[in-house]
Amino acid sequence: MAAAQEPLTDGAGGMDDADEGDGNAMEAAPLPFRAAVAALKAARLRPEIEIEPTRPPQRLAPHTYALEAAVVQEGEDLADGRLVLLHDPAGHEAWQGSFRLVTLVRAELEPEMAADPLLPEVCWSWLTDALQARGLAYGEPSGTVTRAASHYFGGLAARPAASQIEIRASWTPREGLGGVPDTAAHLASWCDLLAQIAGLPPAGPGDSSVVTLPQRRGPDSR
């Protein structure tokens, strides 16, 4: 089934490739997809989150658009991720809709935090809670939460042990007027998840109940 089980990139290209041909592909895309992408581009996010378009995977759906983001505070990367918008005008049985959002989010943790047996369930709940907190309608959520630990030996023995949490997920945003989902709100929810996994404090008074991950290590790579 799900797009969440597919790799988020096909391993080729970068921003130059994303720019070249983006205009032609967007002109040929159906209006609901173009409107959904325009909403993503116009979304305003909290300043700690740096976001930019990137080359989308080419084999998951007829029309795709991708963003990558990093949570940066005082020059340090605290978390990063990628969000991919998929669209199949004919609909997709597994999605139960014509749009799908696919994400990868990751952050490095202190080893003692990674040892918490409830950490995967907590991290998954952050995704669903972020969507529900903004009143978003969605369906068919699917995904995995993975934690990994690295220990160094020999010539690398001086490096401290490192642990990382990774969330891979996909869900179907419900379509609104004109068959267009509220992609800007879904992006904002995804950024809420990024901020939580990065350990940032709540963005505003209304978010004071949010519990964040108490870590301040940046991921190994973006």
Side-chain angles (χ1 to χ4, degrees), residues 1-90:
M1 144 275 105
Q5 302 305 316
E6 300 285 346
L8 290 186
T9 67
D10 56 13
M15 281 303 298
D16 290 341
D17 298 311
D19 292 337
E20 176 188 1
D22 177 70
N24 291 336
M26 198 58 62
E27 287 178 7
L31 182 58
F33 179 72
R34 283 184 281 155
V37 170
L40 288 174
K41 292 179 177 179
R44 301 186 66 178
L45 309 172
R46 58 188 294 175
E48 299 94 338
I49 296 177
E50 298 180 357
I51 194 164
E52 62 183 8
T54 188
R55 181 179 174 87
Q58 301 298 306
R59 297 183 291 270
L60 300 184
H63 306 282
T64 59
Y65 182 78
L67 294 166
E68 61 182 8
V71 180
V72 180
Q73 192 173 57
E74 298 179 354
E76 182 182 8
D77 284 13
L78 304 179
D80 64 16
R82 178 166 297 199
L83 184 69
V84 181
L85 176 67
L86 309 178
H87 179 52
D88 186 341

Side-chain angles (χ1 to χ4, degrees), residues 43-45 49 130 134 136 183-193:
R44 301 186 66 178
L45 309 172
I49 296 177
R134 292 183 180 268
L136 294 173
T183 48
H186 281 270
L187 174 59
S189 293
W190 180 70
C191 288
D192 292 342
L193 171 65

Side-chain angles (χ1 to χ4, degrees), residues 114-204:
D116 185 342
L118 296 179
L119 186 63
E121 288 80 4
V122 169
C123 288
W124 180 256
S125 73
W126 286 348
L127 170 62
T128 57
D129 289 350
L131 294 167
Q132 293 166 8
R134 292 183 180 268
L136 294 173
Y138 69 97
E140 308 304 317
S142 177
T144 62
V145 177
T146 304
R147 50 186 167 186
S150 299
H151 300 268
Y152 300 95
F153 301 93
L156 301 177
R159 294 188 182 181
S163 298
Q164 189 177 74
I165 191 77
E166 179 182 276
I167 303 171
R168 290 179 179 266
S170 65
W171 66 94
T172 298
R174 295 306 184 206
E175 298 163 16
L177 293 176
V180 182
D182 189 351
T183 48
H186 281 270
L187 174 59
S189 293
W190 180 70
C191 288
D192 292 342
L193 171 65
L194 267 178
Q196 282 184 275
I197 201 170
L200 292 187

